[in-house]
Amino acid sequence: MKINIGIIGGAGYTGGELLRILLNHPQVNISFVNSKSQAGKPVYSTHTDLIGETDLLFTDQMPFDEVQAIFLCSGHNESKKFLTENTIPESLKIIDLSTDFRDQSNGFVYGLPELQRDLIKTATKIANPGCFATSIELALLPLANAGLLNEDVHVSAVTGSTGAGQSLSATTHFSWRNNNISIYKAFTHQHLKEINQSLKTLQPAFGKAVNFIPYRGNFSRGIMANVYTKFAGTIEEAKELYKNYYASHPFTHLSEAAEIDLKQVVNTNKCILHLEKHDDNLLITSIIDNLTKGASGQAVQNLNLVFGLEETTGLKLKSVGF
């Protein structure tokens, strides 16, 4: 039996990525794609990469009785409003891609499988992590799990323009973003709350600063986070720590190459990590696709866990390296 799902707010980037993945998911049937602004139009009229892939139409209807799960893709501060204004069957699984419930309020479980996979498996409501948060947390979880985050953490991370969503703004126009780079929300980015929450889940006494400088990159997709903190052990000990932590997690990989780059992960649900030791600092480079592992791919990973499927189902996606 296939899982019938619905997508709320399906006209944006995360909705389009969900469709790209779920149309080829062997255990999923897409029952409806809701969009008030595009109702009645073919899905491929907005997501033009899906021409020839589906004849689905956007709808302004939400037939909850026809589905077992819904994805909320309507943007930040919209999910709380949506759940207040609509009567949702208690048995319906909800995977929310906004920031609204990442504090695990209202019965939501924080949906980072590499942190709390067992809780996700039994959850009804999942708060999908943020893209920067996913990349940074995956860089630090093994250290927190070993109780080794005892000094300040420093993060410099760059994201593609799709991280800002589909709505145009002064900093997403091609003429501004191309051949340009800028920082924003230095030390104050909203993902810091969930990053600290996750680190304290594994290392409750963690109370040091996470100094985060985000950059807007002049490319479309991907995140590269460079994270460093004090580490007393050797590089060999650090690598062993990371390999052991991620041994049972199919999407996070430690690279032994001299360097890693975004083309290795774009269009995939992978996170690739690279470690270096510089004096007493451990440098962890973490790369993901902000729209897949940082959003829609991780949401499908959570769907698989909630419904008892193999975690990688529908997510064995290859990057385009050239």
Side-chain angles (χ1 to χ4, degrees), residues 16-66:
E17 280 296 285
L18 275 172
L19 286 160
R20 177 176 75 89
I21 296 167
L22 292 177
L23 282 168
N24 294 295
H25 192 297
Q27 297 298 117
V28 165
N29 174 62
I30 303 169
S31 294
F32 68 88
V33 185
N34 173 271
S35 171
K36 293 179 181 177
S37 64
Q38 303 299 315
K41 298 179 182 178
V43 162
Y44 62 74
S45 66
T46 295
H47 304 301
T48 55
D49 56 323
L50 298 180
I51 291 175
E53 301 294 327
T54 180
D55 293 322
L56 278 167
L57 302 178
F58 289 112
T59 178
D60 57 4
Q61 302 300 304
M62 295 178 289
F64 298 131
D65 59 330
E66 296 180 5

Side-chain angles (χ1 to χ4, degrees), residues 172-219:
T172 58
H173 280 280
F174 177 82
S175 57
W176 186 91
R177 196 106 179 190
N178 187 47
N179 296 323
N180 201 5
I181 192 168
S182 64
I183 68 169
Y184 70 109
K185 298 182 181 178
F187 300 103
T188 64
H189 196 279
Q190 64 272 16
H191 289 183
L192 281 167
K193 291 181 180 178
E194 60 189 278
I195 292 168
N196 279 286
Q197 172 184 270
S198 295
L199 297 178
K200 289 178 181 178
T201 297
L202 294 179
Q203 187 176 334
F206 176 72
K208 298 296 183 177
V210 178
N211 300 301
F212 177 27
I213 309 297
Y215 289 79
R216 300 181 183 95
N218 63 343
F219 53 92

